[in-house]
Amino acid sequence: MKRTLNPIASCIFITSVLIFPIAGYTSEIISSNPLNTVTITEQTAQYSLASSLNHAPKFKGFGAEDKERSFHSDLDFFETVMSYGINTDPRITFLMVNAYQAHNQHAHGIAFFEKLLHQYENNMDNEVHATYLAAYAILRATYANEVSLLKRIGWVNDTFDILEKSAELTNNESPLVHWAAGLIYAQVPFFFFKKDDAYAQLNWLAERPESEPAPGFYREVYFHLAKLHASDGETGLAVEYLKKSGYDSYEPKALFMGWFTTTQAAGATMFSEPALEEIVPDRIFSLHGFGFSDVFFVISDGGKHLIAIDAGTQPGSLKNAHQYLKSHYPALPPITTLIVTHAHWDHIGGYTYLKSLNPEIKIYGRGNFKSTVKRVLQNHSYQQFRGAGFKHQWVENYQPDISIDQQTDITIDGTSIELIPVVGGETEDAMLVFIPKLSTLFVGDILMPYYGEPWIEEGFIDSTVATMDEVIKRNAKHILHGHYPLTELYGPEQIKAFRDVYTWLVNTTRDLIRNGHSIKDIIRLNLIPPGLQNHPNIYLSYLTPRDHLIARVADNMVGIWQEDVSGKEPEGLDNLTSVEYGRLLQLYLGLSAKEVINALEKMIAAGDNELAFRLAIAAEKRYAANNTITDLKEEAADRIRSAAQFLDPFKFIAYTEMIGKEHKPVRKAPDRQKPEHENH
């Protein structure tokens, strides 16, 4: 299936748009920012000893109770919290639409947004109202081909009217509304005469890179500008925009505007492009997109020392980051100190570069680092995670010059720094780095939502709460995590609220496991702490780690077989692989390749992407050289990757590599500065 479809009849209107996101329970910790609505009665469900949030009373009928609807934990979550009508963060709204698109749940999404608008429309301010309308328009546009031919033209024109109303509500200044309109207008058939409007909407965005709501969001803007210019015979501009989009080697079969990238040579990043962010003017700099982790540099009070916080992924990536910083600030002092937040490969992999610059550099780190490094040296199959050229020698000889085993205060050229050893969510050798004068706290990966790499035994669940307490009591203005998405998800206010929902989820999961629930059972319960609906700024902070945290808790409690409540689907009991499923398809069910293809198409249409991918992998082994099966496998993987593009880099990378593709960076690279920069 093609990712975007050309018109094939005079009444066809197909758009394949998606959407984007990011970031942002107890009421004692943070105040909610509700719309001006009447009080909504909270509805809960009881699971064992846990009371979990359910849909608002008037949204009964949405959710996983429909057994004919494919299950997706992210959609269950969004439909639950959004049903209370309190969200004012447009990123949450668009991420929900992204989930509907990736999972082929358009009809459910249209019904949900119609209900949402009917229930709360009169209590929304113009910005929120416009965002909901733009999201609704996207779902209508992507569903238009399912509308009967007699009604389709009217459906399309009504969708245009909805877009125009959303633009009027925001005085034509909302990048989200421009984005929705631009992608829709760019893909409608020619007889709607929207090409000029598409150019206007997309160029408005391209000319305002500073308005990009999240890194990678404009990837699709450049891609559709490339398509438009190609259709007008402007080959040079088409090639230029295609390179900017990162789609010059592979055009995915779903939409992507998230921050992850992954290539064979460089491995993965958690930012869409190399970029520099000035956290504290002329003092603290963050480099994104130079390897898997962020790297930070601090200029000392006296201006004579440059302090590195973590050493990045590889010597080459750290060198590129350092040189990029120097190209913007050529008068930087020499690097004299490296402080390591923990000894994962993506935080120490470039330390030899710093040694080559300054053999006398002082390295501060935890004394109990060896177990972390040992786990790093385990090989795994996914080369597009670390990069094909990754060498164990970059990390295996790492050792701090000064071991920190208790809270230690140091001073470097007038800069006072507190080094606080903790046990992080990922590793036992974590260390917080606090600069009180600059109100900045570097925390490494204490809240990495996967609690370690998913293919190794790692993660320290209980210690994480005490570590969050250490962070909270510093009351830092800037909390900088080892990866940009984490800094967005767990800022100073978010982390205060997240502490309690984290504890609730861990305790609830343990109770359910003791009562015979497996990981899959628990994930399907859509566990949400009552009260979370009042705090949209931590919706994603909670959703992102939820399934991973459930899995880590279970991993520490059960054996090599995991029972489930039915007793019929325990994990680890059998050894079935794609080979056996391929035999099932051809030898026992007697299916032809055409029949398998038909089944795959039905699965994808119904949103059963994981099922389709597994079946396609098995079918490829039994029905040789069938390009259609391969195309459908790629589409299923792209839809899975699209759903994961903001939430799970490990899943994103694994599925990208399993279909033999790359997801290149966006080639735009404006410098990102905090909006508050001018206020310092």
Short mmCIF file of all heavy atoms in Angstrom, two decimals, residues 26 92 181 208-210 233 238 283 308 315 319 366 408 539 583 587 608 673:
data_model
loop_
_atom_site.label_atom_id
_atom_site.label_comp_id
_atom_site.label_asym_id
_atom_site.label_seq_id
_atom_site.Cartn_x
_atom_site.Cartn_y
_atom_site.Cartn_z
N THR A 26 -1.65 13.72 42.87
CA THR A 26 -2.48 14.14 43.97
C THR A 26 -2.69 15.62 43.91
O THR A 26 -1.80 16.39 43.58
CB THR A 26 -1.81 13.78 45.30
OG1 THR A 26 -0.62 14.53 45.43
CG2 THR A 26 -1.49 12.31 45.39
N ILE A 92 -1.13 16.92 23.58
CA ILE A 92 -1.84 15.72 23.98
C ILE A 92 -2.93 15.40 22.96
O ILE A 92 -3.11 14.25 22.54
CB ILE A 92 -2.47 15.89 25.38
CG1 ILE A 92 -1.41 16.30 26.41
CG2 ILE A 92 -3.18 14.61 25.80
CD1 ILE A 92 -0.34 15.30 26.62
N ALA A 181 -4.09 21.83 8.05
CA ALA A 181 -4.61 22.28 6.76
C ALA A 181 -3.63 22.00 5.63
O ALA A 181 -4.02 21.55 4.54
CB ALA A 181 -4.94 23.77 6.83
N ARG A 208 8.90 29.60 9.30
CA ARG A 208 8.89 29.91 10.74
C ARG A 208 9.36 28.69 11.53
O ARG A 208 8.60 28.09 12.31
CB ARG A 208 7.48 30.31 11.18
CG ARG A 208 7.00 31.63 10.58
CD ARG A 208 5.51 31.82 10.82
NE ARG A 208 5.03 33.12 10.35
CZ ARG A 208 4.75 33.39 9.08
NH1 ARG A 208 4.91 32.45 8.14
NH2 ARG A 208 4.33 34.59 8.73
N PRO A 209 10.61 28.27 11.35
CA PRO A 209 11.09 27.08 12.06
C PRO A 209 10.99 27.22 13.57
O PRO A 209 10.88 26.22 14.28
CB PRO A 209 12.54 26.96 11.59
CG PRO A 209 12.91 28.31 11.10
CD PRO A 209 11.66 28.90 10.53
N GLU A 210 11.03 28.46 14.06
CA GLU A 210 10.95 28.67 15.51
C GLU A 210 9.57 28.31 16.06
O GLU A 210 9.40 28.13 17.27
CB GLU A 210 11.28 30.13 15.86
CG GLU A 210 10.22 31.17 15.50
CD GLU A 210 10.17 31.52 14.01
OE1 GLU A 210 11.06 31.05 13.26
OE2 GLU A 210 9.25 32.27 13.61
N GLY A 233 7.11 20.17 -11.49
CA GLY A 233 8.31 20.07 -12.31
C GLY A 233 9.51 20.82 -11.75
O GLY A 233 10.51 20.98 -12.45
N ALA A 238 12.27 20.17 -5.13
CA ALA A 238 11.75 18.90 -4.64
C ALA A 238 12.84 18.09 -3.95
O ALA A 238 12.63 17.54 -2.86
CB ALA A 238 11.14 18.10 -5.80
N ARG A 283 26.41 30.17 29.88
CA ARG A 283 26.93 29.33 30.96
C ARG A 283 26.67 27.83 30.74
O ARG A 283 27.58 27.02 30.90
CB ARG A 283 26.32 29.75 32.31
CG ARG A 283 26.73 31.13 32.80
CD ARG A 283 28.24 31.23 33.05
NE ARG A 283 28.71 30.22 33.97
CZ ARG A 283 28.64 30.33 35.31
NH1 ARG A 283 28.11 31.41 35.87
NH2 ARG A 283 29.12 29.38 36.07
N ALA A 308 32.32 19.22 31.27
CA ALA A 308 31.43 18.34 30.51
C ALA A 308 30.61 17.51 31.48
O ALA A 308 31.16 16.93 32.42
CB ALA A 308 32.22 17.44 29.57
N PRO A 315 33.26 8.53 20.56
CA PRO A 315 34.24 9.63 20.46
C PRO A 315 33.91 10.59 19.32
O PRO A 315 34.00 11.81 19.48
CB PRO A 315 35.56 8.90 20.22
CG PRO A 315 35.36 7.55 20.81
CD PRO A 315 33.92 7.21 20.59
N LYS A 319 32.93 14.53 19.64
CA LYS A 319 33.76 15.51 18.93
C LYS A 319 32.88 16.43 18.08
O LYS A 319 33.07 17.66 18.09
CB LYS A 319 34.76 14.79 18.04
CG LYS A 319 35.65 15.73 17.22
CD LYS A 319 36.63 14.93 16.35
CE LYS A 319 37.50 15.88 15.52
NZ LYS A 319 38.45 15.12 14.66
N ARG A 366 30.82 7.55 39.86
CA ARG A 366 30.57 6.65 40.98
C ARG A 366 31.62 5.55 41.03
O ARG A 366 32.13 5.09 40.00
CB ARG A 366 29.18 6.03 40.85
CG ARG A 366 28.03 7.00 40.98
CD ARG A 366 27.91 7.56 42.40
NE ARG A 366 27.84 6.52 43.40
CZ ARG A 366 26.74 5.81 43.71
NH1 ARG A 366 25.60 6.09 43.08
NH2 ARG A 366 26.77 4.87 44.63
N THR A 408 29.21 14.87 47.93
CA THR A 408 30.50 15.57 47.90
C THR A 408 30.31 16.93 47.24
O THR A 408 29.65 17.04 46.21
CB THR A 408 31.53 14.75 47.09
OG1 THR A 408 31.66 13.45 47.68
CG2 THR A 408 32.89 15.45 47.09
N TYR A 539 0.08 13.66 31.83
CA TYR A 539 -0.50 12.54 31.07
C TYR A 539 0.60 11.70 30.42
O TYR A 539 0.65 10.48 30.57
CB TYR A 539 -1.44 13.06 29.99
CG TYR A 539 -2.80 13.55 30.47
CD1 TYR A 539 -3.68 14.12 29.56
CD2 TYR A 539 -3.19 13.44 31.79
CE1 TYR A 539 -4.93 14.58 29.96
CE2 TYR A 539 -4.44 13.90 32.21
CZ TYR A 539 -5.30 14.48 31.29
OH TYR A 539 -6.53 14.93 31.69
N ARG A 583 4.46 -22.61 8.94
CA ARG A 583 3.95 -23.95 8.65
C ARG A 583 2.43 -24.01 8.84
O ARG A 583 1.71 -24.64 8.07
CB ARG A 583 4.62 -24.97 9.56
CG ARG A 583 6.08 -25.25 9.19
CD ARG A 583 6.82 -25.96 10.32
NE ARG A 583 6.17 -27.20 10.71
CZ ARG A 583 6.30 -28.38 10.07
NH1 ARG A 583 7.06 -28.44 8.99
NH2 ARG A 583 5.69 -29.45 10.50
N LEU A 587 0.96 -25.30 5.46
CA LEU A 587 0.80 -26.74 5.52
C LEU A 587 -0.52 -27.16 6.15
O LEU A 587 -1.15 -28.12 5.69
CB LEU A 587 1.96 -27.37 6.29
CG LEU A 587 3.36 -27.20 5.68
CD1 LEU A 587 4.39 -27.93 6.53
CD2 LEU A 587 3.38 -27.73 4.25
N ASP A 608 -4.92 -4.15 13.76
CA ASP A 608 -4.13 -5.21 14.40
C ASP A 608 -2.74 -5.27 13.78
O ASP A 608 -2.36 -6.25 13.11
CB ASP A 608 -4.86 -6.55 14.26
CG ASP A 608 -6.02 -6.69 15.23
OD1 ASP A 608 -5.83 -6.35 16.41
OD2 ASP A 608 -7.10 -7.13 14.81
N GLN A 673 16.55 27.86 21.47
CA GLN A 673 16.77 28.60 22.69
C GLN A 673 15.49 28.63 23.49
O GLN A 673 14.39 28.66 22.95
CB GLN A 673 17.22 30.04 22.39
CG GLN A 673 18.59 30.09 21.71
CD GLN A 673 19.08 31.52 21.57
OE1 GLN A 673 18.30 32.45 21.65
NE2 GLN A 673 20.37 31.69 21.39
#
